[in-house]
Amino acid sequence: MAYEQAKSSVQHSHSLNLENRSRLNLTGVEDVSGFDESLIVLSTALGELTVRGEQLHIERIDLDSGQLDVRGKILELSYDEPAPKGSLWSRLFG
């Protein structure tokens, strides 16, 4: 089995800990799609998570273990469901 396949088959559990709306600790982070001081978009084991706020800073990121720490003023946390896999036909008739 190739390294990329082995890495993608391991799914971390996902947890979120928010302290005083200023410290956010996440596990189960698979990728960070983009970030700036007001928005962080990342993929987790349970779907895409968008963090909105002010003066957001990624303090620590370790994608091998799936951990991410964010500091700043957290205003909103929003999950999007992952897109269904497979072709249109398999989703309709599968």
Side-chain angles (χ1 to χ4, degrees), residues 84-94:
K85 305 228 184 234
S87 69
L88 174 64
W89 294 113
S90 66
R91 288 181 293 183
L92 290 175
F93 302 109

Side-chain angles (χ1 to χ4, degrees), residues 32-42 51 56-58 61:
V32 177
S33 303
F35 64 93
D36 61 26
E37 287 192 349
S38 63
L39 178 74
I40 300 173
V41 180
L42 48 101
V51 180
L56 299 178
H57 298 282
I58 296 177
I61 183 168

Side-chain angles (χ1 to χ4, degrees), residues 6 9 11 41 46 57 65 72 78-80 82 84:
S9 66
Q11 187 176 34
V41 180
L46 297 179
H57 298 282
S65 66
S78 174
Y79 284 93
D80 290 328

Side-chain angles (χ1 to χ4, degrees), residues 14-87:
H14 175 56
S15 68
L16 182 146
N17 183 28
L18 179 62
E19 299 176 29
N20 299 320
R21 292 182 64 183
S22 64
R23 297 174 53 136
L24 178 62
N25 302 316
L26 299 159
T27 63
V29 176
E30 297 172 350
D31 191 24
V32 177
S33 303
F35 64 93
D36 61 26
E37 287 192 349
S38 63
L39 178 74
I40 300 173
V41 180
L42 48 101
S43 298
T44 72
L46 297 179
E48 187 175 272
L49 174 63
T50 301
V51 180
R52 295 184 194 280
E54 297 172 356
Q55 300 176 347
L56 299 178
H57 298 282
I58 296 177
E59 294 276 314
R60 178 177 68 134
I61 183 168
D62 184 353
L63 294 180
D64 290 333
S65 66
Q67 297 181 343
L68 179 79
D69 295 342
V70 176
R71 302 294 180 260
K73 184 175 181 182
I74 310 295
L75 300 176
E76 178 184 338
L77 299 169
S78 174
Y79 284 93
D80 290 328
E81 291 297 319
K85 305 228 184 234
S87 69

